[in-house]
Amino acid sequence: MTAHSDGYLLPRRQTLIAIIGVLLGMLLAALNQTIVATALPVIVSDLGGVEHYSWVFTAYMLAAAVTTPIYGRLSDVHGRRLFFILGIVLFMAGGIVGATSQSMTQLVLARGIQGLGAGALMPLAIATIGDLVPPSDRGRWQGLTGAVFGVASILGPTTGGYIADNADWRWVFLVSLPVSFVALAFIVTTLRIPPHPERGTHVDYTGAALLAAGLSVTLLATVRGGVEAPWDSAQIVALFAAGAVLIATFIAWERRQEQPIVPITLFRERPVTFGTLAGFFTGMGMFGTIVFVPLFMQGALGDSATASGLVLAPLMLSMVVTTAWSGAVITRTGRYRWALLSGPVVMGVGFWMLSTLDIGSGRLHATLAMVVVGLGLGLLLQNLILVIQNAVPSRHMGAATSVAQLSRSLGNTVGVAVMGAILLAGLPGGGDLGTITGAGGTPGDGATLARALHPVFELGLPLMAVTFVLVALIPQVPLRRGVRDDVAVPAERPQDREADEAELVA
């Protein structure tokens, strides 16, 4: 039996079954990311130009970012299971739309639908584990979540690359359907998470609409700036201004709500504030690596899609190693700052190694660089989530986890957009598809791409410097030994804030 501080008991077998169910959902989302990333150069070559390369990722991540906090709050009120199922169904629908795409517009739409599903799967999986395992023991479970990404790092790039090289790329979207059916059946029949006794009863839909609109407009400006219009053009400036107004209005609205979509009071805690910001910059560096290293392998070194996809496996596998190891050490010692401080330093070394790649580099050089980046990621990603979850009242577990996931997703989106703009700016004529895929056939193509990618990878160095400063500001807080030890209050009223703060200190 797993005992919690409020007297709630959960059989160990039920805990394991629930965690296996959510891990299947995580596997679905993780596989999709790596499969599509590997095959994307071939897909773009068939359907359109390189100017759409970043949009395929951006549509996915924008949809996930906008819906993540909404799913988090909805799951706090109504339970995780319903929205897990919804996420899987949306993922399956997006896969079917992607497999039937006849244009880049339809492909981008398909990725957007899958992003709507991903907005539920990843954060709700992590929040569910937080419902079941106290922070003091959660580190040892991080190895399982890391293993999911490890499996995806092997199956995803291998499958995506093989399909791109030997079959119709449309199978990239269809091959995940069996996994979707298995995950759906498992979750429908086994996932039973008792609701939190002090959960809210209301969803702030006005706040959700303001947040979705503000994020959408701001991210739209980010992905269009420098690519479809100059950064200082009237339309980009207007989009940024509109996004700032909408987000400011959202914050003002939330501060007056009894049960806000995102409890603003959570950000009074330094672990939440600096942890979410660190997740943003880590996400920028992480997805820049996942997207552009396979592009370098295919366009500069002439690798096949299969071979270029396999370079992602060392990153994920090394991340699994340090995720599991650091989690075990944190569980044993109760201390996490050492991992947070080491992560950006190690990642910075990896980005420096990536920035030295050129046309004469071999696969070993790229592989070693990816290993180092992965080691740093393993020290940061799950441990930042742990720190944030430990700092908030358990009735806000879904909202807090979703905010953490949102910050990473925003970093993913901004990172791909900014790095994509840097890449296009470094290519002759703003970029040519032959240069990207190696289809141009001239020796100069690969060298040009390699030079254009240097500043893309160099951007990781200042990103990791900022991340280091942010994690250095996160204090060492004792890890809670229970998962449901909240002060019993009916809603997030202003008079409840003092109770929240007293509970967090305790």
Side-chain angles (χ1 to χ4, degrees):
M1 306 288 280
T2 302
H4 303 313
S5 61
D6 59 355
Y8 172 71
L9 296 175
L10 186 68
R12 181 174 179 80
R13 181 176 179 273
Q14 186 176 340
T15 299
L16 291 173
I17 290 175
I19 290 178
I20 290 172
V22 299
L23 290 178
L24 284 172
M26 292 182 68
L27 177 62
L28 174 63
L31 278 173
N32 180 268
Q33 290 180 358
T34 52
I35 288 175
V36 175
T38 306
L40 187 57
V42 174
I43 298 174
V44 174
S45 178
D46 184 33
L47 292 183
V50 69
E51 66 273 11
H52 301 296
Y53 190 91
S54 295
W55 266 104
V56 176
F57 288 94
T58 300
Y60 177 92
M61 291 183 289
L62 176 60
V66 168
T67 56
T68 289
I70 299 173
Y71 284 129
R73 176 57 182 166
L74 287 171
S75 72
D76 278 342
V77 174
H78 301 293
R80 318 279 186 220
R81 181 171 176 267
L82 172 64
F83 300 101
F84 234 113
I85 294 172
L86 176 60
I88 293 175
V89 170
L90 286 171
F91 230 97
M92 295 168 66
I96 294 172
V97 174
T100 59
S101 294
Q102 301 298 318
S103 66
M104 283 300 298
T105 300
Q106 187 177 346
L107 183 68
V108 170
L109 173 64
R111 293 294 286 161
I113 296 172
Q114 290 190 312
L116 294 176
L121 294 180
M122 285 294 187
L124 296 191
I126 298 171
T128 300
I129 294 174
D131 289 335
L132 297 169
V133 183
S136 59
D137 295 330
R138 205 169 298 156
R140 68 183 60 176
W141 293 88
Q142 290 178 180
L144 292 177
T145 59
V148 168
F149 289 98
V151 171
S153 73
I154 300 297
L155 294 181
T158 304
T159 304
Y162 180 83
I163 291 172
D165 288 337
N166 300 284
D168 192 327
W169 60 261
R170 299 178 191 280
W171 283 101
V172 165
F173 293 94
L174 296 176
V175 74
S176 63
L177 290 183
V179 179
S180 303
F181 280 115
V182 172
L184 184 62
F186 201 100
I187 290 172
V188 167
T189 58
T190 66
L191 187 60
R192 296 290 188 273
I193 305 297
H196 194 286
E198 301 301 334
R199 68 190 188 278
T201 58
H202 170 70
V203 177
D204 176 21
Y205 291 105
T206 300
L210 287 170
L211 178 61
L215 290 175
S216 299
V217 172
T218 302
L219 292 176
L220 184 62
T222 303
V223 299
R224 295 188 64 187
V227 179
E228 300 179 19
W231 288 104
D232 58 353
S233 64
Q235 59 175 296
I236 299 300
V237 172
L239 286 172
F240 274 123
V245 170
L246 286 168
I247 291 175
T249 303
F250 162 76
I251 294 173
W253 172 268
E254 292 293 274
R255 294 180 66 86
R256 298 196 301 270
Q257 303 308 302
E258 291 187 352
Q259 298 183 35
I261 195 78
V262 176
I264 302 300
T265 54
L266 298 181
F267 290 94
R268 294 181 179 180
E269 301 302 316
R270 287 168 58 190
V272 176
T273 300
F274 297 121
T276 53
L277 289 174
F280 174 85
F281 289 102
T282 302
M284 284 188 68
M286 174 184 177
F287 244 67
T289 304
I290 291 175
V291 172
F292 293 105
V293 170
L295 182 63
F296 171 84
M297 301 301 291
Q298 291 185 53
L301 301 188
D303 278 0
S304 66
T306 302
S308 68
L310 287 175
V311 79
L312 295 178
L315 180 145
M316 295 296 183
L317 291 176
S318 61
M319 184 180 74
V320 170
V321 170
T322 48
T323 295
W325 173 70
S326 65
V329 173
I330 291 170
T331 295
R332 186 172 65 251
T333 66
R335 307 191 69 81
Y336 49 75
R337 273 178 56 84
W338 66 271
L340 300 184
L341 293 171
S342 301
V345 175
V346 176
M347 284 188 70
V349 173
F351 281 119
W352 171 79
M353 295 173 67
L354 287 174
S355 70
T356 62
L357 290 171
D358 57 33
I359 193 65
S361 299
R363 168 170 285 276
L364 179 61
H365 185 165
T367 300
L368 290 175
M370 295 295 273
V371 167
V372 175
V373 172
L375 292 173
L377 277 172
L379 293 169
L380 279 174
L381 290 184
Q382 295 303 320
N383 292 325
L384 284 172
I385 297 289
L386 171 64
V387 167
I388 291 171
Q389 289 182 336
N390 182 63
V392 302
S394 58
R395 68 178 177 278
H396 294 317
M397 183 68 68
T401 305
S402 295
V403 166
Q405 185 65 34
L406 171 63
S407 68
R408 189 189 304 175
S409 298
L410 291 176
N412 295 161
T413 306
V414 173
V416 171
V418 171
M419 292 178 179
I422 293 173
L423 171 62
L424 292 178
L427 293 172
D432 176 76
L433 190 57
T435 301
I436 297 298
T437 63
T442 62
D445 285 344
T448 299
L449 176 60
R451 287 193 297 271
L453 282 170
H454 282 167
V456 172
F457 296 132
E458 288 170 353
L459 180 61
L461 297 174
L463 289 178
M464 291 305 102
V466 173
T467 302
F468 181 85
V469 172
L470 290 170
V471 297
L473 296 172
I474 297 176
Q476 178 67 52
V477 178
L479 297 177
R480 293 202 310 259
R481 297 188 177 277
V483 296
R484 291 185 175 177
D485 49 5
D486 294 85
V487 176
V489 293
E492 180 74 8
R493 301 184 301 266
Q495 57 265 39
D496 295 329
R497 294 174 183 170
E498 291 77 9
D500 272 358
E501 292 172 358
E503 173 196 344
L504 294 171
V505 170

